[in-house]
Amino acid sequence: MSRRQHPRGRVLAVCAAGALAVTGIGACGSDGDDVPPQSSKRLNVEKFRQAVRPIGASGPQCPLPFDVAAATAKIHLDGPVAPGDPAADGSEGWSDDDAKAHDLRSDLSAMQRSNGVEVTCRYKVGTVEIHVDTWAARRGPAINPALPVIQRDAGVSVGTLSDFATRMTKIAPQQVVPVGEGGVAVVRLNVDGPGEAVLFVSAETLAPDRIATLASTFAKQLD
């Protein structure tokens, strides 16, 4: 099923703990029009949190410096690049109560347990819709709170998802990991400062190898 048919609030919660981070503001094309200058591209969880906080459910632009035109050129995807609708949405959750964060019976959300941040940036290249999700966490693995969304987009079983999550904790940054049959590709990011971050790409009409190339390219753009 299309990810557009599965609101975030309805996905199955699989794990708890994680989130992500960055600096700067994002561009759609290679020229980077209207993109404020940035001091660093590499993700920083706290700076990313500040960038995502005002976005909410409908942001006017992605708060990450992705060059979508350059990335899609690598997979020979033709067509003009435009923001999706909405261009971005994100959220952040914070809790300084470590004991409560590690208590699975507490009422904290997965985002709060991880001191995390997430943002989805959407693009349309010709007729192809591309979603780039970034998750960062100050506490625990960044992949954990992202698992329900990855499961939804990849359409995999809980068992497959568990094996994938275990593998993600052992890989080096910038290594691409496909999920299931390759409908989603995930990359662990290098981070500036404390915390962890992951990025994953999904595009329903693209072949797995092209999605993996996009994920790798976007990750390198943040390094």
Side-chain angles (χ1 to χ4, degrees), residues 91-180:
S91 61
E92 54 92 21
W94 232 249
S95 172
D96 294 324
D97 191 334
D98 286 340
K100 199 171 183 180
H102 290 94
D103 182 359
L104 296 181
R105 296 170 297 179
S106 74
D107 59 357
L108 294 184
S109 68
M111 195 78 78
Q112 289 173 320
R113 292 179 189 279
S114 66
N115 277 358
V117 192
E118 65 86 17
V119 70
T120 300
C121 298
R122 300 177 181 85
Y123 306 96
K124 192 167 185 179
V125 183
T127 61
V128 176
E129 293 185 20
I130 298 171
H131 291 207
V132 186
D133 288 68
T134 310
W135 296 69
R138 283 290 301 271
R139 182 195 289 123
I143 194 64
N144 285 359
L147 290 175
V149 181
I150 293 172
Q151 182 185 35
R152 178 198 66 193
D153 290 357
V156 296
S157 68
V158 172
T160 298
L161 193 71
S162 178
D163 292 342
F164 157 77
T166 299
R167 182 181 178 190
M168 283 297 300
T169 64
K170 301 176 181 179
I171 66 168
Q174 299 294 327
Q175 180 179 341
V176 179
V177 179
V179 187

Side-chain angles (χ1 to χ4, degrees), residues 50-93:
Q50 298 302 325
V52 168
R53 179 175 291 173
I55 289 178
S58 182
Q61 63 180 357
C62 178
L64 297 172
F66 295 130
D67 188 334
V68 182
T72 53
K74 286 183 172 291
I75 62 170
H76 308 290
L77 181 60
D78 298 323
V81 178
D85 184 19
D89 62 56
S91 61
E92 54 92 21

Side-chain angles (χ1 to χ4, degrees), residues 66 71 74-75 132 173-177 185-189 199-201 208-223:
F66 295 130
K74 286 183 172 291
I75 62 170
V132 186
Q174 299 294 327
Q175 180 179 341
V176 179
V177 179
V186 185
V187 183
R188 182 180 173 189
L189 300 173
L199 173 152
F200 63 94
V201 175
D209 60 332
R210 301 177 87 189
I211 294 176
T213 297
L214 283 178
S216 176
T217 304
F218 285 133
K220 289 175 182 176
Q221 289 177 355
L222 298 181
D223 203 17

